[in-house]
Amino acid sequence: MKGARATNTHLMRDGRAVAGTRALPEEVPVALVYNGTTQAVMMATPDNLEDFGRGFTVSEGLALAGEVGDIEIAEHGAGIEIRMWLPEDRADALLARRRAMAGPVGCGLCGVDSLEQTLRVVAPVGAGIMLRPSQIDEAMAGLRDGQALHDRTRAGHAAGVFVPGQGVVALREDVG
């Protein structure tokens, strides 16, 4: 499985350390590159990188999902580049925007230029959706059932999309 690797370590068994092998999740530097210019570098699990790139683009307000052109994943010794192409007007607006997300965590605030940028309006997700408690239970169970990286490493978290009547229709994991 991409996103996890086996490592030799000591495991606790019956109160004592024993030699063993355990799967650990991977986390690598991932550069988000738009029209040839790096916008941000984040640490991430190297799975589903096209989705990661599109999600970052949309959540940062850089472009709509349908405006992202070709996406190329380029692996380097130092990490991975997600190379994306935007329409000229979006690329020009991006070049005018300063943002260097250098920091110890990927909280979404590291590297912003001003306090005002922390108060940006985020588009609502699922506005107007009403779920019954049983549907919330179904969504949580579906989310848990789809976490292969977590099952293997016990060190991942997930986000998913739940559609009533269809269950969890998309799920992505990353290092916790």
Side-chain angles (χ1 to χ4, degrees):
M1 165 189 281
K2 194 170 182 179
R5 62 181 167 73
T7 187
N8 294 324
T9 187
H10 286 88
L11 307 172
M12 294 302 291
R13 298 279 188 248
D14 299 320
R16 59 189 175 87
V18 296
T21 301
R22 178 182 172 116
L24 296 177
E26 287 185 86
E27 188 173 52
V28 300
V30 176
L32 295 121
V33 179
Y34 297 92
N35 296 26
T37 301
T38 299
Q39 177 68 12
V41 178
M42 302 178 78
M43 297 300 290
T45 300
D47 288 337
N48 304 299
L49 292 174
E50 287 191 20
D51 290 346
F52 179 71
R54 283 187 197 282
F56 180 88
T57 303
V58 171
S59 66
E60 288 294 308
L62 305 177
L64 301 174
E67 293 178 308
V68 177
D70 292 335
I71 297 178
E72 178 185 350
I73 307 300
E75 296 189 31
H76 302 277
I80 299 171
E81 288 184 350
I82 305 173
R83 298 175 182 164
M84 297 171 276
W85 283 264
L86 300 178
E88 188 175 333
D89 62 326
R90 292 293 190 165
D92 290 344
L94 180 59
L95 286 175
R97 178 182 166 176
R98 286 182 36 217
R99 181 171 168 104
M101 293 176 45
V105 296
C107 66
L109 295 180
C110 299
V112 296
D113 294 319
S114 67
L115 291 174
E116 288 74 26
Q117 286 183 335
T118 68
L119 303 175
R120 69 178 181 209
V121 176
V122 178
V125 176
I129 293 177
M130 299 293 291
L131 297 175
R132 295 185 309 275
S134 62
Q135 291 173 311
I136 295 171
D137 290 343
E138 179 186 351
M140 295 302 294
L143 188 65
R144 179 62 203 100
D145 289 346
Q147 291 183 258
L149 179 66
H150 179 270
D151 289 347
R152 188 160 175 216
T153 67
R154 300 286 186 238
H157 66 263
V161 176
F162 173 79
V163 176
Q166 296 179 36
V168 174
V169 296
L171 183 141
R172 297 295 180 256
E173 293 184 275
D174 192 41
V175 173

